[in-house]
Amino acid sequence: MLTALPVKVIFTTDEPDLALPETKQQLLVPADIKRYGLSRILNSSSMLDTSSPVPLDFLANGTFLRTTIEEHLASEGLSAETTLTLKYVRSLIPPVYEASF
Amino acid sequence: ATHISSDRELRDFGECMQQWVEFQSRTHAMSLSLTSQLRLILTPSQSTKLSGSFRTGKRLNIKRIIPYIASSYKRDKIWMRRSVPTKRTYQIMLCVDDSKSMGEAGSGTLAMESLVMVSRSLTMLEVGQVGVMGFGADVFTAHELTDPFAADAGARVLQNFTFSQNRTDIVLLIRQTIDKFRIARQQQSNGGLWQLALIISDGLVESSTHDVIRRLLREAMEERIMMVFIVMDDQVQKGSSVLDLGSAKFQDGEVVVTKYLDTFPFPYFLIVHNLEELPSALAGLLRMWFAEVAS
Ligand SMILES: [Mg+2]
């Protein structure tokens, strides 16, 4: 079976209380991941280690990521060779909807 | 003319020649340093073993004494001499990552400089044949092992590299390198042939294929093909080192983050942050490898 190539992502944020240490800002993530998966990764104990999950949204080039990373790169005419910068913000989606994403 | 693979678009020759000359002068001192270090490693040291059967020599070969007497002192080649070390010949393939990630991270320039520096050292050493391949989504030959490294060869090699390939298919590279070395070995009558591939890359290869890579590397090892992975870790921004790079996965629904290099499948690899480190690092690694294969 062909597994999608991991994509190298750089995480940035403007929210000081959610900032990652420098050495954790770059991460390889599965290419078929979407907003919810990315939010879970950032909340995990290896990353932000939040006491209770903080739903996050991700901006790629100023627009909210609503597809998989792979689909996003393809729509921009890019491949998994490109390092993707994602800016994360507290999600405005009410947590009650979380399960459907 | 050489048949260099299909219709690759080549960069302007004049531009590449200029680049080669520039890289050459920038890396000249390092090339010399690498040459002198490699000379000690790649050419076997003076053998101290006594062997053979000669009319004159250093010490008697006991096994020859009885036949000597039995032949009424006619078979008089009863002496041993210090044997001349067998000459080793090498086929060395420089495999340069031509994928897009190289260009993005600024590793491309570092890779080109390394290519110029290492290929010049190896040519100065005159230990055998030097070839250059590029890899990404596909593999191409930029310089055949059998072609001499003539004055314009370097620029012709550089013409092939654009760092715009959309994948980094390391498995394809290893397979094709092994195939190439197999064919090249058949064309050589020399028994003391050693085959070495130096892979120059940013180290970002498809992690889903690590098991396949391990199996191929074992296969290569059995055929006396050595593969060294040189990770060009040019930190364009702070915290961007491959040493810190994590890899996130979902396992049984849980997030697992591991260090990318912890599962790196190449047993022989080195991480180079700048060019100045390369000569000693590469020499050190090869010394370690020779110590292992010799034991
Ligand atoms: Mg790449």
Side-chain angles (χ1 to χ4, degrees):
Chain A
M1 197 188 76
L2 259 173
T3 322
L5 270 174
V7 177
K8 192 169 155 190
V9 171
I10 301 175
F11 292 111
T12 64
T13 190
D14 290 337
E15 314 198 25
D17 58 322
L18 288 179
L20 284 163
E22 223 165 48
T23 54
K24 288 189 178 179
Q25 287 168 8
Q26 302 216 9
L27 191 69
L28 292 169
V29 299
D32 53 3
I33 207 168
K34 287 188 180 178
R35 183 203 72 81
Y36 179 57
L38 286 167
S39 183
R40 284 195 57 203
I41 288 175
L42 280 192
N43 274 284
S44 75
S45 58
S46 315
M47 299 298 278
L48 288 169
D49 199 14
T50 48
S51 48
S52 61
V54 181
L56 299 169
D57 250 320
F58 296 84
L59 289 135
N61 261 335
T63 50
F64 285 106
L65 182 74
R66 290 292 175 247
T67 59
T68 65
I69 286 185
E70 203 171 23
E71 286 161 347
H72 168 75
L73 288 172
S75 72
E76 304 273 308
L78 302 169
S79 68
E81 291 285 328
T82 300
T83 299
L84 181 66
T85 302
L86 290 176
K87 186 166 146 184
Y88 55 98
V89 294
R90 281 189 167 78
S91 180
L92 299 174
I93 301 167
V96 66
Y97 283 102
E98 193 65 64
S100 58
F101 280 84
Chain B
T2 340
H3 64 280
I4 308 262
S5 21
S6 61
D7 341 292
R8 294 187 45 76
E9 203 154 311
L10 296 179
R11 291 165 57 209
D12 179 67
F13 178 77
E15 211 173 275
C16 290
M17 186 50 116
Q18 213 175 346
Q19 203 177 30
W20 178 270
V21 171
E22 190 195 316
F23 287 166
Q24 182 174 314
S25 65
R26 202 188 301 168
T27 62
H28 184 64
M30 287 174 259
S31 284
L32 292 179
S33 156
L34 182 61
T35 304
S36 61
Q37 294 187 65
L38 289 183
R39 182 163 286 132
L40 295 172
I41 302 163
L42 299 185
T43 26
S45 55
Q46 199 63 43
S47 173
T48 49
K49 229 176 121 192
L50 290 157
S51 63
S53 34
F54 304 94
R55 271 201 191 87
T56 59
K58 191 94 178 155
R59 192 180 300 162
L60 278 169
N61 185 344
I62 303 302
K63 277 186 263 171
R64 302 273 167 193
I65 300 297
I66 304 288
Y68 171 58
I69 297 166
S71 69
S72 316
Y73 311 103
K74 280 191 185 106
R75 295 169 71 177
D76 58 352
K77 291 179 177 173
I78 55 171
W79 294 92
M80 294 195 292
R81 286 180 187 171
R82 243 172 248 293
S83 62
V84 181
T86 42
K87 194 172 178 276
R88 284 194 199 138
T89 15
Y90 294 85
Q91 285 175 333
I92 301 172
M93 190 62 84
L94 301 172
C95 309
V96 181
D97 188 339
D98 186 43
S99 74
K100 210 167 182 174
S101 63
M102 295 287 289
E104 290 216 346
S107 309
T109 311
L110 191 53
M112 287 295 95
E113 289 172 334
S114 307
L115 173 65
V116 173
M117 195 257 279
V118 176
S119 62
R120 284 194 66 234
S121 288
L122 294 172
T123 338
M124 282 190 267
L125 261 176
E126 296 180 315
V127 287
Q129 299 173 329
V130 180
V132 181
M133 300 208 304
F135 68 99
D138 55 26
V139 176
F140 61 86
T141 301
H143 185 90
E144 292 284 0
L145 281 170
T146 42
D147 289 346
F149 233 91
D152 65 342
R156 297 209 177 280
V157 164
L158 292 190
Q159 277 189 286
N160 288 274
F161 291 92
T162 52
F163 305 110
S164 53
Q165 298 203 42
N166 277 327
R167 280 184 64 196
T168 314
D169 194 342
I170 192 78
V171 171
L172 187 71
L173 171 73
I174 300 173
R175 286 217 170 97
Q176 297 217 5
T177 307
I178 294 175
D179 286 348
K180 217 169 178 70
F181 273 148
R182 274 183 192 146
I183 295 166
R185 186 180 290 274
Q186 283 162 6
Q187 290 163 350
Q188 287 266 326
S189 52
N190 193 319
L193 179 68
W194 295 75
Q195 293 174 316
L196 175 68
L198 302 178
I199 302 168
I200 299 171
S201 164
D202 57 9
L204 297 177
V205 301
E206 299 172 30
S207 56
S208 54
T209 53
H210 280 187
D211 287 342
V212 185
I213 296 173
R214 286 200 186 89
R215 203 179 55 236
L216 283 170
L217 289 176
R218 269 199 304 275
E219 200 180 298
M221 216 44 149
E222 279 160 20
E223 301 188 31
R224 253 208 297 185
I225 298 169
M226 153 92 170
M227 293 202 186
V228 176
F229 200 112
I230 303 170
V231 181
M232 292 289 145
D233 192 26
D234 191 18
Q235 291 159 278
V236 263
Q237 60 205 105
K238 262 188 118 189
S240 72
S241 171
V242 71
L243 292 164
D244 297 322
L245 187 62
S247 172
K249 280 183 195 90
F250 288 93
Q251 263 168 27
D252 308 318
E254 293 297 312
V255 176
V256 181
V257 179
T258 50
K259 279 261 180 285
Y260 173 67
L261 283 182
D262 284 353
T263 54
F264 200 62
F266 287 81
Y268 294 99
F269 76 93
L270 42 101
I271 297 165
V272 177
H273 304 288
N274 57 61
L275 205 62
E276 286 76 18
E277 293 173 11
L278 186 54
S280 319
L282 183 57
L285 187 92
L286 292 177
R287 196 177 299 122
M288 190 177 87
W289 173 61
F290 271 110
E292 263 173 53
V293 292
S295 65

